[in-house]
Amino acid sequence: MTAHIPAALVLEDGRIFRGRAYGSVGSTLGEVVFTTGMTGYQETLTDPSYHRQIVVQTAPQIGNTGWNDEDDESARIWVAGYAVREPARIASNWRSRRSLEAELEAQGIVGIAGIDTRALTRHVREAGAMRGGVFSGAELAADAEMLRRVTGSSPMVGADLAGDVTTAEPYVVPALGEKRFTVAALDLGIKSNTPRMMAARGIEVHVLPAGASLDEVLAAGADGLFLSNGPGDPATTDQQVELTRQALDRKLPLFGICFGNQVLGRALGRGTYKLRYGHRGINIPVIDAETGKVAITAQNHGFAVEGEPGERFDTEFGRAMVSHHCANDGAVEGLALLDGPAFSVQYHPEAAAGPHDAAPLFDKFVDLMSEAR
């Protein structure tokens, strides 16, 4: 265990938080962001959208339920580093197989514990998400040297990361029960629960690498195209935007989430921009522009599509609208093509580890494919 090994989290503006090593001992660099979820740390850590980010948990105690072999959202932990206030001393859950710290150590994830995560979160809220580093053990150095390493690291703006997390080869998730549709899912950092949600609705999901072409989508016999979540700057997705435009031109039913919402936005002629500190957690309220209903959603994104709540605009593919927006800051949370079978949301309707308010969006995708037939 690493409970007595000193560690430091260094931010690019020079602020330093000192604590003790948690997980692997060493050093790591990434963008420091916070997530407000009080549960679901295993799903958070294995979400590919957190690639190259040091994740700060705002909930004060983390690790209570240990680590199991069922809740991973991908084949590995993707976060660059991890920061918690108080690690649970005992992991207690009937599905637990080992402690959270043991899994962090096994996968080489450098973390820090015993810091004031509330103060760190308030700082990031005010100053914005920024580059940082976690240093422990022999990697601890003079403050100026650690800061030099942090400021020399790559920023998230301009980062093309989908290729790092995508599948190397296509694979198929079969439909449960009778097969009704075939969907080509572009893996930009897809979470495991997303194909499961579609499979439960009779959809055979062909998961394709991020660089897939329209010919590969059509070769799968796709009734629809799905654009997944993922990490990095959406301004780097020219290839995926072109595929989306080709799909829109063919009126192929299309559904995008998170990073996929930004790809669709770009295909419809919208720009994207970096949020000050992003939306990350499982308690973020989103308003449906047409019904006024509020859904509590799971989110993980640091970029957003340009637009105003309820805005309607013209595109090459017909009329479109900003279908959803965040109740907290008005950021675009969904798009819909009014003259074609395409829509997207910025949040995660597969909602691992919850909530489940937005699960019916998968039914909406099924309806689009039914109508197209």
Side-chain angles (χ1 to χ4, degrees), residues 239-268:
Q239 186 174 4
Q240 292 77 26
V241 168
E242 180 56 31
L243 170 63
T244 302
R245 290 173 60 83
Q246 292 170 349
L248 293 174
D249 203 42
R250 295 179 66 96
K251 296 196 179 296
L252 184 67
L254 185 146
F255 176 28
I257 68 167
C258 198
F259 205 56
N261 176 67
Q262 296 159 6
V263 171
L264 177 60
R266 288 194 59 207
L268 295 176

Side-chain angles (χ1 to χ4, degrees), residues 98-284:
R98 52 205 165 273
S99 72
L100 169 57
E101 183 170 26
E103 190 65 24
L104 293 171
E105 286 183 287
Q107 297 202 36
I109 306 302
V110 176
I112 185 171
I115 64 172
D116 187 344
T117 51
R118 176 166 290 187
L120 175 53
T121 296
R122 288 175 65 91
H123 185 72
V124 172
R125 277 181 60 94
E126 293 300 318
M130 67 184 80
R131 291 171 295 174
V134 178
F135 305 88
S136 59
E139 291 294 308
L140 267 178
D143 293 356
E145 171 58 21
M146 292 188 294
L147 182 59
R148 184 194 65 78
R149 291 179 62 185
V150 168
T151 56
S153 63
S154 300
M156 192 58 69
V157 172
D160 185 0
L161 302 181
D164 294 352
V165 302
T166 191
T167 181
E169 298 292 335
Y171 62 93
V172 177
V173 178
L176 296 178
E178 180 184 356
K179 176 185 169 183
R180 300 173 61 197
F181 300 100
T182 300
V183 162
L186 198 64
D187 178 9
L188 306 172
I190 200 166
K191 294 167 71 175
S192 299
N193 202 41
T194 305
R196 285 198 295 262
M197 294 284 280
M198 288 191 273
R201 290 160 171 79
I203 298 172
E204 180 180 279
V205 184
H206 292 244
V207 182
L208 304 179
S213 66
L214 181 65
D215 287 342
E216 291 172 277
V217 169
L218 299 178
D223 299 299
L225 174 63
F226 175 79
L227 305 174
S228 83
N229 61 290
D233 187 342
T236 65
T237 58
D238 290 351
Q239 186 174 4
Q240 292 77 26
V241 168
E242 180 56 31
L243 170 63
T244 302
R245 290 173 60 83
Q246 292 170 349
L248 293 174
D249 203 42
R250 295 179 66 96
K251 296 196 179 296
L252 184 67
L254 185 146
F255 176 28
I257 68 167
C258 198
F259 205 56
N261 176 67
Q262 296 159 6
V263 171
L264 177 60
R266 288 194 59 207
L268 295 176
R270 305 253 99 174
T272 57
Y273 65 98
K274 196 172 191 305
L275 293 163
R276 176 188 257 185
Y277 51 83
H279 300 162
R280 297 176 180 90
I282 57 176
N283 57 352
I284 298 168

Side-chain angles (χ1 to χ4, degrees), residues 316-373:
E316 290 181 44
F317 310 99
R319 296 170 303 133
M321 72 174 293
V322 174
S323 58
H324 299 76
H325 63 275
C326 181
N328 293 337
D329 60 9
V332 173
E333 293 286 355
L335 299 166
L337 186 61
L338 302 177
D339 295 326
F343 72 103
S344 59
V345 292
Q346 186 60 61
Y347 46 95
H348 289 232
E350 87 295 329
H356 305 288
D357 296 24
L361 289 171
F362 289 101
D363 299 319
K364 180 178 177 179
F365 190 31
V366 168
D367 292 341
L368 278 188
M369 290 187 288
S370 297
E371 292 166 7
R373 278 186 175 176

Side-chain angles (χ1 to χ4, degrees), residues 52-101:
R52 240 178 68 183
Q53 292 181 319
I54 296 169
V55 174
V56 180
Q57 293 278 179
T58 62
Q61 190 171 70
I62 297 294
N64 301 65
T65 54
W67 194 277
N68 62 58
D69 294 324
E70 294 84 43
D71 291 345
D72 289 0
E73 284 299 319
S74 66
R76 53 168 279 195
I77 294 176
W78 280 104
V79 304
Y82 202 42
V84 302
R85 180 164 188 156
E86 182 185 348
R89 288 173 289 176
I90 298 172
S92 178
N93 184 271
W94 67 276
R95 294 194 301 149
S96 177
R97 295 294 176 264
R98 52 205 165 273
S99 72
L100 169 57
E101 183 170 26

